[in-house]
Amino acid sequence: MALWRAYQRALAAHPWKVQVLTAGSLMGLGDIISQQLVEKRGLREHQTGRTLTMVSLGCGFVGPVIGGWYKVLDRFIPGTTKVDALKKMLLDQGGFAPCFLGCFLPLVGTLNGLSAQENWAKLQRDYPDALITNYYLWPAVQLANFYLVPLHYRLAVVQCVAVIWNSYLSWKAHQF
């Protein structure tokens, strides 16, 4: 409980910084889970650079983009009724999620040194599966998030759920 209160105080004092650092930390955790539990690399084979890349993506891309998106979405559709939450979820999953994945996957590929041609081939191979998998998890999470969670906590809630999603994304993005 003390950790949660400290997080709330930090979030109140520095909302943008805390959201970005939370996203980066949880992206890194997702990669560690991917490498250790999914790929079973072991500590000796753990790719620290890959984890740091995912942390950087969380801080420099995921946190700012998703945090900014939630602000835009809340201005576009103010309110927290069930209908408002449904509208937000439909916009989020119908418009934002496909665009976000379409940017995230090639960004990881670029940071991993893929050529434009390799990146395009990887995107064509991985994007449909990633988007379909997205739809198994995120509509229900986002509906609850938009209905029950105040704006300044949404990114943190999503990133906590996303530890599993980030593990999947890291695994998917690093398959060559």
Side-chain angles (χ1 to χ4, degrees):
M1 272 319 241
L3 185 60
W4 176 246
R5 283 192 297 274
Y7 179 80
Q8 288 177 307
R9 284 192 303 276
L11 187 61
H14 307 284
W16 192 250
K17 289 178 192 175
V18 171
Q19 288 180 1
V20 166
L21 290 173
T22 300
S25 300
L26 294 174
M27 288 290 293
L29 179 60
D31 181 68
I32 291 167
I33 291 168
S34 176
Q35 289 192 55
Q36 296 305 314
L37 298 180
V38 177
E39 300 167 40
K40 300 188 187 316
R41 289 182 174 273
L43 294 178
R44 290 181 191 253
E45 298 298 319
H46 187 88
Q47 297 174 339
T48 304
R50 173 178 145 179
T51 300
L52 293 175
T53 296
M54 295 303 284
V55 169
S56 298
L57 277 168
C59 290
F61 178 72
V62 175
V65 170
I66 294 176
W69 166 244
Y70 288 159
K71 289 178 183 177
V72 167
L73 194 56
D74 237 41
R75 285 187 189 122
F76 188 64
I77 304 170
T80 57
T81 68
K82 290 177 184 174
V83 172
D84 294 331
L86 180 61
K87 288 177 187 176
K88 288 176 187 178
M89 184 276 293
L90 290 172
L91 272 175
D92 182 69
Q93 292 301 300
F96 180 77
C99 294
F100 179 80
L101 281 173
C103 293
F104 179 83
L105 292 172
L107 186 55
V108 174
T110 299
L111 292 173
N112 284 325
L114 295 183
S115 69
Q117 187 177 18
E118 291 168 325
N119 221 350
W120 177 247
K122 185 166 177 26
L123 181 64
Q124 287 179 307
R125 183 188 76 214
D126 293 347
Y127 180 81
D129 183 50
L131 187 60
I132 289 167
T133 303
N134 169 85
Y135 290 139
Y136 284 120
L137 173 65
W138 288 110
V141 170
Q142 290 295 56
L143 193 58
N145 197 28
F146 293 134
Y147 183 60
L148 301 171
V149 180
L151 176 61
H152 59 283
Y153 290 123
R154 286 186 190 149
L155 181 61
V157 168
V158 163
Q159 286 301 312
C160 287
V161 174
V163 167
I164 301 304
W165 178 246
N166 294 340
S167 300
Y168 167 78
L169 276 184
S170 181
W171 169 78
K172 180 60 89 177
H174 291 93
Q175 286 184 319
F176 298 105

